[in-house]
Amino acid sequence: MSNDHGEELTPLRDRRRAQTEQEIAEAALTLFEKQGIDGTTVDEIARLAGVSPRTFFRYFATKERAALVPHRDLENRVEEMVSTMQPDEPLLPQLEAVWTEVLQAFDNGRSEPGRQLLRVRRLMRAEPALRSTALSLDEERLQALVARLTALTGSADELAARVLVENAGATVRVALDTWAEAIEAGRPVDLLQTYRRCRAVMHDAVSAQRVGQLSR
């Protein structure tokens, strides 16, 4: 088989894998919404997704993780943006620009990734196991981002990168929770505006802390 042929097949395999992931995720979300996580088995998820349980476990370690598949196009865009961040410019505004683009892509729950996100956030409110798994995945992704930023800046100060990433990530999590809770309560709010308000609160708190330190 020629290299050219192999190069054509690799993206095809990637697309098929992403499609299978999404099909399993859709099955998991549907069943979790209908009968809860405790009432759902891996066999049921696999059956609804049209795969075997063995195939399920090739993709996911647990049934909770099956509901937390990232949107691949969005993940790739985040990777692109992070790779072009400028190490000689303040990192926090650049991180916030990345998160802003991500939240814009969710289109306030109207786009495909936005609808999936809203379903997951709603489930997380009722299912502690799913929230725990999501927090664990968030931690893994944040650690990877910290490593990326530390390498990007060429700095040995991993603590500084971690503080920035954790603060930016926490602001996003609060915005997502506030957004999902408001929709669930029948008083929908705009996700991007909610994030901007949360971000402003965080900036104000940091500024107030600095002023307090300077006045001592």
Side-chain angles (χ1 to χ4, degrees):
M1 184 178 296
S2 69
N3 288 338
D4 287 344
H5 195 188
E7 289 171 1
E8 291 172 358
L9 286 178
T10 299
L12 179 59
R13 282 196 294 268
D14 288 344
R15 287 196 297 273
R16 286 176 175 169
R17 179 177 179 83
Q19 181 179 353
T20 300
E21 281 183 340
Q22 286 298 328
E23 288 170 352
I24 295 173
E26 175 61 30
L29 281 171
T30 297
L31 290 172
F32 291 166
E33 289 168 336
K34 181 179 179 181
Q35 56 199 37
I37 291 178
D38 288 343
T40 300
T41 66
V42 167
D43 285 356
E44 289 175 316
I45 296 171
R47 189 179 309 117
L48 184 59
V51 300
S52 68
R54 183 176 179 180
T55 296
F56 175 95
F57 284 115
R58 284 207 299 266
Y59 284 82
F60 304 104
T62 67
K63 59 185 178 181
E64 290 84 3
R65 289 212 172 201
L68 300 169
V69 176
H71 193 275
R72 293 300 173 190
D73 290 342
L74 194 52
E75 287 279 294
N76 291 339
R77 177 58 184 149
V78 169
E79 285 293 315
E80 290 174 7
M81 292 187 71
V82 171
S83 67
T84 59
M85 288 175 66
Q86 301 300 311
D88 56 345
E89 296 179 8
L91 292 179
L92 182 57
Q94 295 183 78
L95 277 174
E96 290 174 341
V98 172
W99 282 119
T100 296
E101 181 154 334
V102 169
L103 296 179
Q104 283 176 331
F106 290 139
D107 194 21
N108 209 39
R110 291 183 289 265
S111 65
E112 179 186 344
R115 287 191 294 271
Q116 182 175 338
L117 172 71
L118 182 56
R119 293 172 72 190
V120 169
R121 301 308 292 195
R122 283 172 163 170
L123 272 171
M124 282 169 56
R125 297 186 65 228
E127 299 281 357
L130 186 61
R131 186 171 189 86
S132 177
T133 301
L135 289 172
S136 177
L137 281 172
D138 280 349
E139 179 63 20
E140 291 175 14
R141 290 168 182 155
L142 290 178
Q143 287 282 13
L145 183 53
V146 167
R148 290 279 302 278
L149 293 183
T150 302
L152 176 70
T153 58
S155 171
D157 189 1
E158 182 180 321
L159 178 61
R162 182 173 182 83
V163 169
L164 286 175
V165 169
E166 291 283 359
N167 272 281
T171 302
V172 172
R173 284 194 297 273
V174 172
L176 289 172
D177 284 341
T178 302
W179 173 65
E181 289 166 7
I183 291 176
E184 194 75 8
R187 44 179 180 78
V189 296
D190 182 81
L191 175 56
L192 197 55
Q193 290 179 0
T194 301
Y195 169 63
R196 287 171 177 153
R197 290 205 313 273
C198 291
R199 196 174 65 192
V201 169
M202 189 266 288
H203 287 182
D204 288 346
V206 172
S207 297
Q209 180 67 21
R210 285 176 179 167
V211 170
Q213 289 174 345
L214 289 173
S215 64
R216 290 175 186 173

